[in-house]
Amino acid sequence: MSTAASPRPTGHPGYTETLPREPGSAATARRLVRVALSVWGLEELADDGALVVTELVANAVRHARRESIRLTIDRPAEDRVRVAVVDFSQRYPVRRDSGPEDEGGRGLALVEKLAADWGTDPLPWGKQVWADLEERG
C-alpha cells in the first residue's frame, strides 16, 4: 500500500493510495477522504464523501480485474473535491433504478444524489470513476 500527500490547498493530486481490491478497502478509503477533507477545512463534506467513496470502491471491488485499485482525492477548486477510483476494467458503471425488493443497485443513484457531478473517464488499461463533492454555501 502506497500513499502520497500534497500540502497544497488545491491541485492534483491531493491524496492518492493504492488499495487491495477487497471489501475492507472501503474503510481505508473512507478514512483517507475524511482526513483530506479535514485538512482542507471541508469537514461538512465528510459524511457525503464517505458514502460516495464507499460506493465507488464497492463497484470497483465487485467489477474490476486485477488485485488493486487506486483512490485519488483532489481539490480542483476551493469549494470542490473530486473523489476517484481507478481500476483495470473497461466496463463502465451504469446507474440503475432499483425497486423496493432489490437487494442492490442503488449505489450510483446514491452517488448521483450526493455528488455535484460524477462520471467515468476511459484509460488505456481501464477507467476512472469520479464524483465531485461541492461545498454548500
Side-chain angles (χ1 to χ4, degrees), residues 30-49:
R30 284 191 297 272
R31 281 192 299 275
L32 190 57
V33 166
R34 287 186 184 280
V35 166
L37 293 171
S38 176
V39 167
W40 289 328
L42 297 171
E43 291 90 348
E44 73 179 58
L45 298 176
D47 289 341
D48 288 354

Side-chain angles (χ1 to χ4, degrees), residues 51-52 54-56 58-59 62-63 93-115 118:
L51 287 171
V52 165
T54 298
E55 294 303 330
L56 297 182
N59 280 344
R62 193 173 305 116
H63 300 293
V94 177
R95 184 191 171 285
R96 297 187 302 164
D97 291 319
S98 297
E101 301 300 316
D102 293 331
E103 290 186 22
R106 293 177 183 80
L108 290 176
L110 179 63
V111 169
E112 187 174 271
K113 180 172 175 51
L114 297 175
W118 76 277

